Every structure is written in C-alpha cells, then in structure tokens.
Amino acid sequence: MKIMKKILSLVLVSALGGILTLGAYKLFLEEEKTVVVNAQPTTPTFLPTSTFSNTALKAYENSDFTTAAENTVNAVVHVKNTATISGPTSFQDLIHGRSVERRQQVGAGSGVIIDPSGYIITNNHVIKDAYELSVTLNNNKTYIAKVIGKDPESDIAVLKIDAEEDLPVVHFGDSDNVKIGEWVLAVGNPFNLTSTVTAGIISAKARDLSGVSSQSFLQTDAAVNPGNSGGALVNTRGELIGINTAITSQTGSYVGYSFAVPSNLAKKIFMDIIEYGNTQNGILGVSILNKETEEATKLGVNDIEGVYVSEVTKKSGAEKAGIKSGDIIKKLDHVEISKFADLSGYIKTKSPNDVVNVEILRNDQLLTIPVTISNKDIIVIEFMNMELKDLSNAFKEKYEIPNGVIITKTSNKWLYSKLGISENYIITGINDTKIESIQDISKIKEKYGDDILENIERLEYLNRNLEKKEVIFR
C-alpha cells in the first residue's frame, strides 16, 4: 500500500507540473490568434480537376504492353555483320614494304521482318562493309541474308532471307499520326541480348540531329543501346512506327533519348528499292528561310506559325501550282508544318508525281493548293562523279556571284587530290561555256556522252573562299 501511494503521488505531481507548464506557455509565450467566423455562407472555391479516377492516371497499371511485345519479338531479328578490315600500318611496315594484315571484325544489330517471304528492314550502318550477313530469328534459326538495296542518306537497308515457311511480321503503322506523349516499345538486341523490350514515350517529332534540317527523326525516351540499331519502335497495338537508329550520348550508351526513322519513310524506301532498285526522291520545289537569321528577323518570320517560302524552284511542281515567294506553308495534307524538318520529313515519304495538298497563308488568307511532287533531277545533276545543284538567287545576291553551280557531293578523288575540289566549290565555266545552271551541265553531258572526260579541256571554279581558279587539262 505504501508503494502504491508513492506511485500515485508521483503521477499527481507530474500531472500538476505539466498543467502548470502548459498554463505558463499559454499565458506568457503563445502569440494571440484571432479566429473570425463568417456568419454568411461563402461560395465554395472550385479548382479544375480530372473526372477520371486516380487509378486511370496510373499508366503502369492501365497500359498493357504484353500483346504488342509478344507480337513484335518474334519478328525482330538479330543481324550479324562479318567484315574484313585492315590493321594499323606501322612505320616498319612502310619501310619494309610489308602488306598490312587483314582481319575479321564482327558487328551486330537488329532488323524487322516486314514481309512473310523474308524481307527485312534494318539500318544501313548495321550492314555496312559486310562480306557476310547472317540473321537469327527469335526461335534461334539462323539464315544467310543478302542485301537487296540500301539508302545511306536515310540509313535504311533492305535484306532478304529464304525460309521454308512464312515468317512472322510487324505491320506498318502511320508514323504521321504518332502523338507526343504516346507510349511506345523499342524491341531489339542490345549488347547481343536477344529479344529485349523497353518502354517509353514519344518525346518529340521531326527531330533533326544534323543541323541542316535534312533529318526528321522520332525521338523517344525508351532505352536504346548499341545493338538496338535496326530494331522496331512500335505503338501499344504492335504497329511499326519507326526503325531505331541513333542515340545521343557522351558514353556511347543510352542516357535518356534515342531516335528512330519514321515508319512512313522506311516503308517508302522499302517499296522504292523493291520496285526500282533505288530510292525515288521527290521535291516540293521551295526554299525555306531559316528562322533566327538576320533576314528572318527583318521580315518578322521568327514569330510566324509555319515556314516562310523564300524562293520557288524553276520548273518545279510548286512553281507550276502557283506557290510564291512570301507564302507561309502551314500544312502538307493533314500534317502541320512548324519547321523545315516537318516539311522535309513529310516530302521524303512521297514519290515523284504524287500530289500533296499544301495549305498556305498569303495576304492573311488561307489557301489550299495541290502540288505535284517533282523529281529531284530538276535540281541536281550527276557530273564527273559529283552532284551539282543550282545556286539560289539569294546566295548569288549575297556573295555577288553572277553564275555557277555548287558541288553538293563528290566522290571524284582525282579532282580532290590534284586540285582540292570538294563540296561547296562552285563550277563557273567548262571549256568555253559559262555555266549558269545545271541545264548547261546537262547540255555538255549530251554533247560529249561517254567521252566527256577526254573532252574537258578547261575548268573554271570558285573555292570555298570564293576565290577564282582556273585549270587547263591540255
């Protein structure tokens, strides 16, 4: 009993101490707060909110990728490239005249079966320099593949394997209808790990990595690594919307974004190669004023929605249809155009003689003009293993060049090694003919035919510093 009394006394003392402490805090330390109660009912504040349940927002619970993955992995193949390369040449090799040892190098990538008879789309860089190509299916069957055709500019190649049975395929989807934020799957063989599936979203469209608006990639954050090249990018229905091609990385491995050739372009290249043996390139026939330039700032082009036509190519479908300098292109068919990569990407999916409905803004009025796609031959010509193109009027005016054609591509090693003539040099005269346009080059080719090399006596040109040069071959 004495013990119980002591315990009760301690409890009472502790409680009393707590009450006194709390009372002192309230009296001396706590700031006085005034609570105002409004006697009149107030209108409740409404905040915008989704009508969907919380579970609908959880993509990982509601997006089922299993069907798309199952349908795709069986049609994505492992591509092995065996190439022969030369080893490094040492100083001793040069002194003693020893031949450099050649050795085999094996590379690997992915490919997508798009036809039951065994046609496969992959990247050109996956099969580059191969003397032997083998393809392994998801069921571990291996076949020797042959190259049907390739388009280095878009990095697409077509292979063919001969199987005894129909093969599983991935069906093409419409890459023009892909939405930013849409779920996608990347299927391939990274690091030789076959049948690997990763998920992500479309991060951007019409992405150009070259800086010259010549590319139009789909950008995704689905993990893509070395070995994924040539593999499939599919939507949640398992439809092919892209061919995985590139990553941006300082390490060579995936760090956040990867890029795919849109399926509409890959499909067009495949059909061209099968039908013609090469890619049939078409042009709209317009030059676009780049935004953020001095001229664009003066014209207020930086603020427009669309692309500004600075020049129309002579004899092109655009000129014949009535497109004019100063028009603002807003749409091509159903595709909205906000930058040149949008325009070039869509035109690349078209062939010469296709008709595109061009929506333009002219004098604050929207017009829709059907334009027939022209053959690329009207703006470029092959000559002495070089590709030549007309100079634009704006270029001529800016640099005060009266005439000439510019070299856009060259594989003429002799002209380069002897004279340094390379890309961006301008040919202004051949023999006694002033070169005004590629039409003049065409007339020279017709005149001399196969004997053209023996008949070129004098060449006038401008180097990259626009200095006049002349060479006499005889």
Side-chain angles (χ1 to χ4, degrees), residues 359-371:
E359 182 182 284
I360 63 168
L361 181 65
R362 179 188 295 169
N363 299 326
D364 297 324
Q365 183 180 3
L366 283 175
L367 303 172
T368 299
I369 301 176
V371 176

Side-chain angles (χ1 to χ4, degrees), residues 102 229 257 382 418 456:
R102 297 179 66 83
S229 290
Y257 295 109
E382 297 289 335
K418 299 296 183 181
I456 300 297

Side-chain angles (χ1 to χ4, degrees), residues 31-281:
E31 294 180 3
E32 182 178 351
K33 295 181 181 179
T34 303
V35 179
V36 178
V37 178
N38 194 334
Q40 300 297 323
T42 59
T43 303
T45 301
F46 291 98
L47 299 175
T49 184
S50 172
T51 57
F52 295 103
S53 66
N54 289 337
T55 56
L57 299 176
K58 297 178 181 177
Y60 61 87
E61 291 182 357
N62 290 274
S63 295
D64 186 359
F65 305 138
T66 56
T67 301
E70 289 171 358
N71 291 341
T72 307
V73 291
N74 292 315
V76 174
V77 301
H78 183 266
V79 179
K80 186 172 77 171
N81 172 352
T82 304
T84 301
I85 63 171
S86 299
T89 303
S90 67
F91 185 65
Q92 287 76 16
D93 292 333
L94 292 174
I95 292 176
H96 299 290
R98 292 191 298 238
S99 60
V100 179
E101 181 182 354
R102 297 179 66 83
R103 57 187 176 83
Q104 287 188 352
Q105 178 175 278
V106 178
S110 304
V112 185
I113 305 174
I114 46 87
D115 186 90
S117 64
Y119 284 103
I120 296 168
I121 289 181
T122 185
N123 284 143
N124 182 61
H125 75 261
V126 169
I127 57 96
K128 188 177 180 181
D129 299 328
Y131 78 81
E132 183 178 278
L133 287 169
S134 63
V135 167
T136 302
L137 276 56
N138 195 40
N139 60 10
N140 292 324
K141 289 185 178 180
T142 299
Y143 301 88
I144 297 298
K146 60 181 177 180
V147 179
I148 301 300
K150 52 190 177 181
D151 182 47
E153 184 176 349
S154 62
D155 201 11
I156 292 294
V158 177
L159 310 180
K160 178 71 165 62
I161 60 174
D162 295 321
E164 296 178 356
E165 69 283 345
D166 285 349
L167 299 173
V169 301
V170 179
H171 297 288
F172 283 100
D174 187 349
S175 55
D176 289 336
N177 289 333
V178 171
K179 304 295 184 184
I180 294 176
E182 179 180 341
W183 278 107
V184 289
L185 302 180
V187 185
N189 306 281
F191 307 118
N192 285 319
L193 300 172
T194 58
S195 305
T196 297
V197 180
T198 55
I201 62 169
I202 295 295
S203 306
K205 298 176 66 176
R207 183 69 81 196
D208 174 38
L209 303 181
S210 67
V212 293
S213 301
S214 63
Q215 300 170 329
S216 186
F217 287 119
L218 295 176
Q219 179 181 319
T220 174
D221 63 356
V224 169
N225 281 293
N228 269 115
S229 290
L233 187 71
V234 300
N235 58 24
T236 54
R237 296 182 295 277
E239 297 169 335
L240 185 68
I241 59 169
I243 301 296
N244 296 315
T245 298
I247 59 176
T248 55
S249 171
Q250 294 178 340
T251 64
S253 296
Y254 172 77
V255 290
Y257 295 109
S258 53
F259 303 89
V261 175
S263 62
N264 286 1
L265 176 56
K267 180 180 180 181
K268 189 260 182 185
I269 292 171
F270 167 74
M271 295 177 69
D272 280 353
I273 288 173
I274 296 302
E275 185 171 355
Y276 303 105
N278 54 29
T279 306
Q280 303 294 297
N281 294 312

Side-chain angles (χ1 to χ4, degrees), residues 179-463:
K179 304 295 184 184
I180 294 176
E182 179 180 341
W183 278 107
V184 289
L185 302 180
V187 185
N189 306 281
F191 307 118
N192 285 319
L193 300 172
T194 58
S195 305
T196 297
V197 180
T198 55
I201 62 169
I202 295 295
S203 306
K205 298 176 66 176
R207 183 69 81 196
D208 174 38
L209 303 181
S210 67
V212 293
S213 301
S214 63
Q215 300 170 329
S216 186
F217 287 119
L218 295 176
Q219 179 181 319
T220 174
D221 63 356
V224 169
N225 281 293
N228 269 115
S229 290
L233 187 71
V234 300
N235 58 24
T236 54
R237 296 182 295 277
E239 297 169 335
L240 185 68
I241 59 169
I243 301 296
N244 296 315
T245 298
I247 59 176
T248 55
S249 171
Q250 294 178 340
T251 64
S253 296
Y254 172 77
V255 290
Y257 295 109
S258 53
F259 303 89
V261 175
S263 62
N264 286 1
L265 176 56
K267 180 180 180 181
K268 189 260 182 185
I269 292 171
F270 167 74
M271 295 177 69
D272 280 353
I273 288 173
I274 296 302
E275 185 171 355
Y276 303 105
N278 54 29
T279 306
Q280 303 294 297
N281 294 312
I283 62 165
L284 187 64
V286 297
S287 297
I288 301 302
L289 181 62
N290 291 328
K291 294 183 179 181
E292 308 303 333
T293 61
E294 183 179 346
E295 186 179 356
T297 303
K298 289 180 180 178
L299 293 172
V301 173
N302 294 334
D303 301 322
I304 68 169
E305 294 182 0
V307 294
Y308 184 92
V309 177
S310 60
E311 195 168 335
V312 180
T313 305
K314 293 179 180 179
K315 299 182 180 180
S316 68
E319 183 188 56
K320 293 175 182 177
I323 302 293
K324 299 178 180 179
S325 175
D327 288 343
I328 298 170
I329 297 178
K330 309 280 287 183
K331 281 185 179 180
L332 297 179
D333 292 334
H334 60 285
V335 177
E336 292 187 2
I337 305 299
S338 61
K339 55 184 180 295
F340 183 63
D342 294 328
L343 184 147
S344 62
Y346 187 71
I347 294 301
K348 282 181 179 179
T349 67
K350 301 300 177 182
S351 297
N353 298 319
D354 286 349
V355 176
V356 175
N357 291 310
V358 182
E359 182 182 284
I360 63 168
L361 181 65
R362 179 188 295 169
N363 299 326
D364 297 324
Q365 183 180 3
L366 283 175
L367 303 172
T368 299
I369 301 176
V371 176
T372 301
I373 299 298
S374 304
N375 197 300
K376 192 178 179 181
D377 291 345
I378 71 168
I379 63 166
V380 296
I381 191 169
E382 297 289 335
F383 178 73
M384 294 175 63
N385 295 322
M386 299 181 292
E387 186 178 276
L388 308 178
K389 185 177 181 180
D390 285 341
L391 295 172
S392 68
N393 291 332
F395 186 90
K396 289 179 179 179
E397 291 174 8
K398 183 176 181 179
Y399 296 103
E400 298 180 348
I401 300 173
N403 63 286
V405 293
I406 191 167
I407 301 172
T408 56
K409 291 181 182 179
T410 179
S411 57
N412 192 319
K413 296 180 180 179
W414 189 89
L415 283 178
Y416 177 76
S417 62
K418 299 296 183 181
L419 304 173
I421 294 177
S422 61
E423 294 178 5
N424 296 324
Y425 276 53
I426 297 170
I427 296 176
T428 57
I430 296 176
N431 295 347
D432 295 322
T433 302
K434 180 187 290 187
I435 302 300
E436 300 281 357
S437 69
I438 60 172
Q439 298 302 318
D440 295 324
I441 300 292
S442 180
K443 291 175 183 177
I444 291 173
K445 290 180 67 175
E446 291 177 6
K447 180 179 180 179
Y448 296 120
D450 295 335
D451 299 326
I452 191 168
L453 293 177
E454 288 78 19
N455 286 279
I456 300 297
E457 300 177 356
R458 188 167 122 193
L459 185 68
E460 300 170 59
Y461 61 94
L462 304 176
N463 62 18

